Amino acid sequence: MERQILHIDVNNAFLSWLAVYKLKNGEVIDIRNQVAVIGGDESKRSGIVLAKSNKAKQFGIITGETLYSARQKYRNLQVYQGNFKIYREYSDKLYKLLLEYTDKIERFSIDECFLDMTYHLMGDTLLNKAKEINRRVREELGFTVNIGVSNNKLLAKMASDFTKPDKVHTLFKQEIAKKMWVLPVSELFMLGKKTVPKLYKMKIKTIGELARTDENMLIKKFGKHGKIMWEYANGIDLSEVQYIKPKPKSIGNSITLPIDINKLEELEQVVFSLTEQVTYRLRKEELLANSVSVQLRTREFKDFSHQIKLENPTCSTRIILEKAKFLLKEMLKEKQYIRLVGVRVDNLTDKEEEQISLFSFSEKEEKQNRLDKVVDLLNDKYGNNSIVRARNLKM
């Protein structure tokens, strides 16, 4: 199966995160709307610009230049001190949100992540997931991201660097010639600054010209790096998303609905889909849940949730769905218009550590376990929820 990769890049991360923090703590002015930068000690001419607002960019201020130089370009420049604690806090919030989509996340830097979504699309498209993540980060976390969409890490990274901010871009193999080969060779990922002048001397000025250069000639001149340059210019990258896979303490998924819903039957269908995704991930992790919770957000942006403890640890779709639907009914005693629905399982335990129940599984439970395994195997093999259970799952 062709891989499904996203690259998430926070727009003006340090300045954006500080802006969100200040606004949440009573600040009236959004520093992103100022001619502002994040920098070090301005009294020292060695202090440099770490991040800049879009308005600062309009005055020619660039990341990496000295604060002294930046102020020559705009006298009333606002300079804010960096705060790594705040950066880490908002980086972790982003990571936590992304975990709702896949556990295969490579934190490439504090403000960049690669996501392997190959077995986590659950019947949706990669582009739709990217747009959903883009929207949720803006609405729920208060800052914006660029997202690159492709089938390998290199192309996803290149795509996320296209026009900014707050954009989703694709760069699939069939789009390389149109979208990537026209770019200056200096914009190729991982191409060192010292290499660019050497390529210019060889009359190689665009990524397309590098892609069409003889591979062996590049290897002869640049060694192993020449081969990598040629492969990257042609969109070739077999590297895997490098992720550390800690056992999760909870697994959940939520969705912002395209329209507000107040009918129980329609909301049950949403809960059904979310439960399918959550329990699939639960079984892939070989974990069992001890509690289930459902979260709702009204169109007035009021959040509320209910939780229920399970009689026995389980990863059964049928059992967890039964509890989730029960919670949904409890929460919807009064007619309310709902714009977001979430399902989460908590207090997870390792399947291997499960104590054998004094009572054997019923025949019905055994059949359900076999059904869960078959559905998971087919989805692993064919992807994208190739098989879907009956909408009205029998309880």
Side-chain angles (χ1 to χ4, degrees), residues 163-177:
T163 55
K164 299 181 179 183
D166 199 20
K167 296 288 194 303
V168 175
H169 296 288
T170 62
L171 183 55
F172 295 107
K173 292 177 182 177
Q174 65 271 22
E175 299 177 300
I176 290 175

Side-chain angles (χ1 to χ4, degrees), residues 7-9 17 88 91 106-114 157:
H7 179 257
I8 316 291
D9 186 6
W17 288 336
R88 177 54 64 187
S91 177
E106 179 180 340
R107 299 182 87 163
F108 191 63
S109 67
I110 194 170
D111 60 346
E112 293 181 73
C113 291
F114 287 103
K157 168 67 176 172

Side-chain angles (χ1 to χ4, degrees), residues 4 117-126 129 277 384:
Q4 306 289 315
M117 298 286 293
T118 308
Y119 295 105
H120 296 270
L121 294 179
M122 306 305 294
D124 207 344
T125 67
L126 185 61
K129 288 294 185 185
Q277 297 177 44
N384 298 351

Side-chain angles (χ1 to χ4, degrees), residues 196-210:
V196 175
K198 295 177 182 177
L199 291 174
Y200 280 175
K201 287 182 180 180
M202 299 169 63
K203 297 184 178 180
I204 299 173
K205 295 184 178 181
T206 68
I207 296 176
E209 289 171 343
L210 179 60

